[in-house]
Amino acid sequence: MEQFELFQKFVLVSFTIAFFWKLIRHMLSFVNMEKEPVRVLITGAAGQIGYAIVPMIARGVMLGPDQPVILHMLDIEPAAEALNGVKMELIDAAFPLLKGVVATTDAVEACKEVNIAVMVGGFPRKEGMERKDVMSKNVSIYKAQASALEKHAAPDCKVLVVANPANTNALILKEFAPSIPEKNITCLTRLDHNRALGQISERLKVQVSDVSNVIIWGNHSSTQYPDVNHAKVTTSSGEKPVRELVADDQWLNTEFISTVQQRGAAIIKARKLSSALSAASAACDHINNWVLGTPKGTWVSMGVYSDGSYGIERGLIYSFPVTCEKGEWSIVQGLKINEFSRAKMDATAKELIEEKALAYSCLG
């Protein structure tokens, strides 16, 4: 009798072990299951920024080291051969996360089912051109691309406009893609944000990763306001305000601001070409934080649709400090704004209102 009971126990234990082992293997199969690829559109993909950003995306810089991607690259007909060359290089690089490449001059084909759209392509201002001429060209470009996104992109597509004038191009895109939620259309001011972090890092001789919570208010132009009043530095003795550590309000209120505002022009003067590597990196940072979230206690700068926060006119695409969680951004509320900051924030808002009026006159 005892032997039979022992045998029963042995069988029960064996079945229990087998059941749990099967369950564990089943669970591990889910853990190891590859994610569905995310389709990422890059317009102007044969250009400098496009050439810099596509390997970053394919390597996981934008969406993480375990997220497969399919790249959709769009450019104009005269750039078709160069675009095909970029596709060839992507194939030759054998990126494990890259599950497909679409290279086309057809906006409809490029926009089909994309989850993320990075709008790099635009018409640059050339010598002798008036602002309205440039705006008119970009209104035409963004009207056509907005229509293609509206009809063919995934319903939850997230859009980042990089091409200048970025804020107003984003506004035009929103106008002609009304089914895309206003919270899903943004513009790039992360490059300016990163430039501000870099300047503070250089000034204090600290790691840039230890500097946080700078703010870029307003337009991605020379009227932008880089604000360090709420910025902090992580030190061995805890977090310290940037103003306290720099201890030079004159520099922070003048040279620091103008350096960040004019950094793009300084790079053009040095390289004879506009920012590409840093712009591509900033675009990846923007999407990465938007999709995967911002670290607790920190914020980043994004050009987003104004809801009237901080007295900024509703309906402008204006750069605010934001936090991101679960694929959604939220404007940081309750920050104290002094008179100096108020004047700077209003000045850049005024420029955006003027740009909006100019863009709408081109539509008319």
Side-chain angles (χ1 to χ4, degrees):
M1 190 69 177
E2 285 181 10
Q3 288 181 335
F4 181 70
E5 286 177 356
L6 283 170
F7 177 73
Q8 280 186 314
K9 287 179 181 178
F10 173 76
V11 170
L12 182 62
V13 169
S14 298
F15 272 110
T16 302
I17 290 170
F19 171 78
F20 278 107
W21 176 240
K22 189 175 181 180
L23 181 63
I24 289 166
R25 288 177 67 186
H26 184 65
M27 290 170 68
L28 284 172
S29 72
F30 279 103
V31 171
N32 294 324
M33 189 181 293
E34 192 172 77
K35 295 178 179 178
E36 281 292 310
V38 170
R39 293 181 178 270
V40 183
L41 167 66
I42 306 294
T43 71
Q48 280 201 96
I49 296 173
Y51 188 73
I53 199 171
V54 290
M56 294 181 187
I57 299 168
R59 202 175 279 283
V61 175
M62 178 179 280
L63 294 169
D66 62 344
Q67 178 58 66
V69 293
I70 296 172
L71 282 170
H72 289 228
M73 303 192 300
L74 174 68
D75 218 310
I76 57 175
E77 193 63 44
E81 190 175 355
L83 185 66
N84 189 51
V86 177
K87 179 179 179 179
M88 291 163 65
E89 286 206 73
L90 284 168
I91 292 167
D92 293 349
F95 294 109
L97 291 174
L98 186 59
K99 302 304 178 184
V101 182
V102 176
T104 182
T105 58
D106 178 12
V108 170
E109 183 185 2
C111 291
K112 194 172 182 182
E113 297 178 354
V114 295
N115 308 105
I116 293 166
V118 183
M119 316 300 285
V120 177
F123 194 89
R125 188 170 183 173
K126 296 179 180 178
E127 192 175 349
M129 289 185 74
E130 297 294 328
R131 281 181 73 216
K132 187 167 184 176
D133 298 330
V134 183
M135 189 70 75
S136 180
K137 293 279 189 184
N138 280 295
V139 164
S140 176
I141 292 168
Y142 276 82
K143 183 177 177 180
Q145 292 182 353
S147 178
L149 283 170
E150 166 89 0
K151 293 173 185 173
H152 302 287
D156 61 347
C157 180
K158 287 176 163 57
V159 182
L160 167 61
V161 177
V162 176
N164 290 319
N167 300 59
T168 303
N169 283 344
L171 198 63
I172 295 302
L173 192 145
K174 178 192 170 297
E175 187 77 21
F176 289 97
S179 73
I180 299 178
E182 59 191 34
K183 289 203 76 169
N184 280 27
I185 297 176
T186 65
C187 81
L188 186 71
T189 57
R190 183 60 175 269
L191 175 55
D192 310 302
H193 182 100
N194 288 351
R195 286 167 171 168
L197 292 175
Q199 289 302 304
I200 296 300
S201 166
E202 291 286 297
R203 179 77 176 194
L204 295 175
K205 294 180 171 51
V206 298
Q207 295 298 314
V208 73
S209 56
D210 290 331
V211 186
S212 61
N213 292 5
V214 298
I215 302 168
I216 302 297
W217 298 100
N219 199 4
H220 175 60
S221 74
S222 59
T223 69
Q224 66 176 263
Y225 171 43
D227 177 6
V228 297
N229 287 316
H230 311 279
K232 58 189 180 181
V233 178
T234 301
T235 72
S236 57
S237 56
E239 291 180 345
K240 302 285 186 184
V242 162
R243 278 203 179 271
E244 179 185 313
L245 292 177
V246 171
D248 187 344
D249 284 350
Q250 175 65 20
W251 181 80
L252 286 171
N253 291 343
T254 55
E255 188 181 335
F256 163 74
I257 292 173
S258 62
T259 297
V260 176
Q261 289 173 333
Q262 302 294 335
R263 189 67 162 184
I267 288 169
I268 290 172
K269 186 177 179 182
R271 290 188 72 226
K272 314 305 180 213
L273 294 165
S274 59
S275 307
L277 184 155
S278 55
S281 180
C284 287
D285 290 342
H286 177 112
I287 296 293
N288 182 280
N289 285 139
W290 191 1
V291 173
L292 301 177
T294 47
K296 190 174 180 180
T298 66
W299 60 66
V300 294
S301 301
M302 289 172 60
V304 299
Y305 195 74
S306 173
D307 61 359
S309 292
Y310 297 99
I312 302 305
E313 183 178 304
R314 287 176 179 271
L316 294 177
I317 303 286
Y318 188 97
S319 183
F320 289 96
V322 302
T323 56
C324 303
E325 186 176 6
K326 297 178 181 176
E328 299 283 341
W329 56 261
S330 301
I331 296 172
V332 176
Q333 299 293 337
L335 299 176
K336 289 183 179 179
I337 306 298
N338 61 28
E339 286 184 21
F340 180 86
S341 294
R342 182 78 267 164
K344 294 285 188 185
M345 290 164 66
D346 289 347
T348 192
K350 181 173 180 288
E351 183 183 53
L352 282 170
I353 292 166
E354 290 169 356
E355 277 190 15
K356 179 179 178 181
L358 184 60
Y360 277 66
S361 73
C362 295
L363 290 173

